[in-house]
Amino acid sequence: MSDSVPTPPDGWKHTGVRVATGDQLGVVTATTPGMDRAVAIDRARMGAQKLWAGTVHIHANAKTGAHHHGPLESVIYVVSGRARMRWGEKLEFTAEAGPGDFIYVPPFVPHQEINASSEETLSCVLVRSDSDAVVVNLEIEPVEKPEGVAWIDPIHKS
């Protein structure tokens, strides 16, 4: 076994791999109207020290206010529907993502999450880089029309 982590007394039976089944996710009560979040992995449920993972279902036309997540990194995987993200000091940038797309939100980036559909629920898997929730609400009114930015990472430029 690894030299840095001793094997626990149970031989990892109860402290090793665990499964959070989809029908037993924990409801997140502190949530945004129009959004239903559920936690799969966090410190309380699984003992996670550096991750939070769960689901979010965003009702048609729903959106968050402007906010950031402090030093946390976030990854959003779109399962179904259409996500629109706005970000920047004045929420001046925008991009959309659909099923199978990943969205990365760096630390401290002011952003707004939007369901781009007026008819369909947006369903996503959300992972954050810490088990503690950090949400800093911001008083930002967009002062200019959002500027579209293609979802292209630096390695796969068009």
Side-chain angles (χ1 to χ4, degrees):
M1 192 65 211
S2 170
D3 293 334
S4 61
V5 179
T7 301
D10 71 351
W12 301 108
K13 181 176 181 178
H14 300 290
T15 55
V17 173
R18 283 169 266 168
V19 175
T21 59
D23 61 348
Q24 295 181 339
L25 302 183
V27 176
V28 176
T29 55
T31 191
T32 304
M35 296 187 177
D36 304 313
R37 289 186 180 91
V39 60
I41 311 294
D42 68 356
R43 187 171 287 118
R45 292 174 59 84
M46 298 282 184
Q49 300 300 306
K50 298 178 183 179
L51 290 174
W52 184 98
T55 60
V56 61
H57 301 284
I58 303 173
H59 304 189
N61 281 331
K63 60 185 164 227
T64 67
H67 65 284
H68 68 72
H69 299 286
L72 305 185
E73 293 177 290
S74 299
V75 173
I76 302 165
Y77 174 77
V78 179
V79 176
S80 64
R82 193 98 192 131
R84 179 177 301 126
M85 297 291 288
R86 295 179 66 172
W87 72 95
E89 292 300 317
K90 297 176 185 172
L91 301 178
E92 66 269 29
F93 307 112
T94 185
E96 291 194 10
D101 293 341
F102 288 84
I103 301 166
Y104 170 66
V105 182
F108 299 102
V109 172
H111 66 282
Q112 179 182 36
E113 300 146 24
I114 302 166
N115 182 341
S117 173
S118 60
E119 301 171 1
E120 185 180 4
T121 296
L122 169 62
S123 296
C124 302
V125 173
L126 173 61
V127 178
R128 291 213 178 101
S129 62
D130 196 318
S131 193
D132 292 329
V134 175
V135 178
V136 177
N137 292 314
L138 304 169
E139 296 292 327
I140 296 177
E141 286 293 325
V143 296
E144 60 185 82
K145 184 177 177 185
E147 174 188 335
V149 177
W151 285 108
I152 300 173
D153 64 65
I155 298 171
H156 302 96
K157 293 181 182 177
S158 61

